[in-house]
Amino acid sequence: MSSIKLNAVEKWFGDLQVIKGVNLSIEEGEFIIFVGPSGCGKSTLLRMIAGLEDTSRGEINIGGKNMTAEPPSKRGLTMVFQSYALYPHMTVRDNMGFSLKAAGAPKSEIQRRVDDAASVLKLEALLERRPKDLSGGQRQRVAIGRSIVREPTAFLFDEPLSNLDAALRVEMRLEIAKLHKTLDTTMIYVTHDQVEAMTLADRIVVLQSGIIEQVGSPRELYERPGNLFVAQFIGSPKMNVMPCSVSDGKFGLPSHNGSGPAPANASQATHIGVRPEHIQIASEDEGHCRGKVEVSEYLGADVMLFVECEKLGLLTVRHVGDIDVKAGQNVGLHFDESRTHFFNAEGLALHD
């Protein structure tokens, strides 16, 4: 188990800079998740830590040692890819133990490590099968098991669940969470999936255009986003953001009469943000704003309403439980004033 530190690391492809001076400290045993839009550099950064991409500038320390110029084999890490990459002619046991066999490990040691990994991943009954006889989730567990037998100092995951269907993703997400708790090993995980990031991570690293926008626990990023980008990227459905003005400690919305309290330091706010679950449906003449329901989506446990609110645009409302509101109906929207967010013209959050 190792700590990992990135000091001003950069990655250039010719004249194109894709990683722009990233600084990050990952503690021993921590589960870190990189998220961000496509092309933000999250997979490139992971590959730089693994040694699969050269570091143009800066330093990568693993376990207190400078490993920037070391090859992947010297870093003590293991990587689980989106593709399972199992040998089709080998059994599960042989697939899991292949790297140890190639390294010349004794047969008894290979068997012990494979059996231990199979026990952790509940693969004991599958050890003599071949990949074609396994489901997608089972194959991914074998790929993870292949990494476990190497007893690495840290695990790197590059979107390992993206090839699975929705049900298997939930199952494997739980397996990975339990695996981290069992092994207590440093894990770095790349995903574009909001639920994976929020449910698995100790801390989330939000990337955009090769820079870190914010690092924090899922709760911190959800409840206190540092800027508009993080506010709208973390959370599904995303935060509603509307233009506003602030005067005498109160916010106002264009074309609407409703107002509410604003933090003392929000006098320069140009936008207000409210998450869908922090908006309540009210009668047409009540609330902070009003609009017409464009679409109502019944999801069982809750209902998603999309409300067109003139200059505020299309707002999303999540109502827990059923509600008798139909498309075309005029409604008022009431914000939970204790859960509003304010941002200045540069997009920076104005927290109290």
Side-chain angles (χ1 to χ4, degrees):
M1 185 166 62
S2 290
S3 62
I4 298 173
K5 293 188 177 181
L6 311 181
N7 297 319
V9 297
E10 299 180 12
K11 179 63 182 179
W12 293 76
F13 291 104
D15 294 331
L16 177 65
Q17 186 179 16
V18 294
I19 300 296
K20 304 171 182 177
V22 165
N23 294 287
L24 180 66
S25 293
I26 301 170
E27 302 301 324
E28 291 188 6
E30 195 170 21
F31 200 135
I32 289 284
I33 291 188
F34 295 166
V35 298
S38 296
C40 70
K42 54 186 183 293
S43 289
T44 299
L45 191 58
L46 189 75
R47 291 173 64 84
M48 290 168 65
I49 295 171
L52 300 176
E53 292 282 359
D54 293 334
T55 300
S56 304
R57 294 174 187 165
E59 189 175 288
I60 297 176
N61 286 284
I62 301 173
K65 297 179 181 178
N66 184 356
M67 303 295 255
T68 312
E70 296 293 338
S73 59
K74 300 292 186 182
R75 300 193 180 199
L77 309 174
T78 189
M79 195 157 179
V80 179
F81 295 93
Q82 183 175 333
S83 171
Y84 318 128
L86 302 178
Y87 294 107
H89 62 287
M90 291 184 182
T91 63
V92 167
R93 178 182 292 279
D94 291 340
N95 265 286
M96 291 173 63
F98 181 76
S99 62
L100 299 179
K101 182 179 179 180
K107 288 185 178 180
S108 59
E109 177 69 8
I110 295 174
Q111 180 172 342
R112 180 190 67 79
R113 292 200 195 181
V114 170
D115 287 343
D116 288 347
S119 176
V120 169
L121 294 167
K122 303 295 187 291
L123 291 171
E124 299 99 324
L126 307 178
L127 287 173
E128 303 311 318
R129 294 190 189 179
R130 285 180 167 76
K132 67 182 178 64
D133 301 318
L134 305 177
S135 68
Q138 290 168 338
R139 292 178 192 176
Q140 191 58 276
R141 295 214 311 264
V142 174
I144 294 172
R146 184 175 52 195
S147 295
I148 291 175
V149 299
R150 296 179 57 191
E151 298 181 350
T153 56
F155 289 87
L156 310 181
F157 294 89
D158 191 4
E159 302 200 46
L161 309 186
S162 59
N163 287 338
L164 304 180
D165 63 34
L168 279 177
R169 287 174 76 96
V170 173
E171 179 183 323
M172 282 305 304
R173 191 172 74 235
L174 295 174
E175 293 292 337
I176 291 173
K178 290 190 291 184
L179 180 67
H180 179 247
K181 188 174 182 180
T182 300
L183 299 179
D184 192 27
T185 303
T186 307
M187 292 184 176
I188 308 175
Y189 190 109
V190 165
T191 184
H192 61 274
D193 188 285
Q194 289 277 326
V195 177
E196 285 178 27
M198 295 293 285
T199 56
L200 288 174
D202 293 323
R203 286 191 299 155
I204 297 173
V205 179
V206 183
L207 290 154
Q208 180 184 209
S209 301
I211 64 171
I212 292 178
E213 291 285 350
Q214 190 174 352
V215 180
S217 69
R219 183 178 294 276
E220 287 169 347
L221 297 189
Y222 193 78
E223 295 184 354
R224 295 182 68 83
N227 56 45
L228 265 175
F229 176 79
V230 175
Q232 293 195 286
F233 191 84
I234 296 296
S236 181
K238 68 180 183 179
M239 180 185 291
N240 297 291
V241 175
M242 300 153 277
C244 76
S245 59
V246 174
S247 178
D248 297 326
K250 289 184 174 294
F251 70 84
L253 303 173
S255 302
H256 295 273
N257 297 326
S259 64
N265 65 338
S267 60
Q268 301 301 313
T270 59
H271 289 82
I272 183 174
V274 188
R275 296 205 178 275
E277 59 270 29
H278 299 150
I279 301 178
Q280 295 179 338
I281 298 296
S283 61
E284 183 179 357
D285 56 350
E286 295 180 342
H288 295 93
C289 62
R290 60 192 175 279
K292 182 170 74 172
V293 177
E294 295 289 330
V295 177
S296 174
E297 295 180 345
Y298 174 74
L299 302 176
D302 48 24
V303 176
M304 302 297 299
L305 300 170
F306 300 89
V307 184
E308 183 60 47
C309 297
E310 301 175 2
K311 292 184 178 181
L312 302 183
L314 188 68
L315 304 188
T316 305
V317 180
R318 170 183 277 160
H319 179 86
V320 178
D322 200 2
I323 186 172
D324 186 21
V325 175
K326 298 178 174 59
Q329 185 173 336
N330 293 318
V331 295
L333 301 181
H334 184 273
F335 305 158
D336 181 344
E337 295 175 347
S338 67
R339 308 296 289 272
T340 52
H341 303 259
F342 293 88
F343 305 90
N344 65 17
E346 288 73 43
L348 298 178
L350 302 170
H351 296 299
D352 52 12

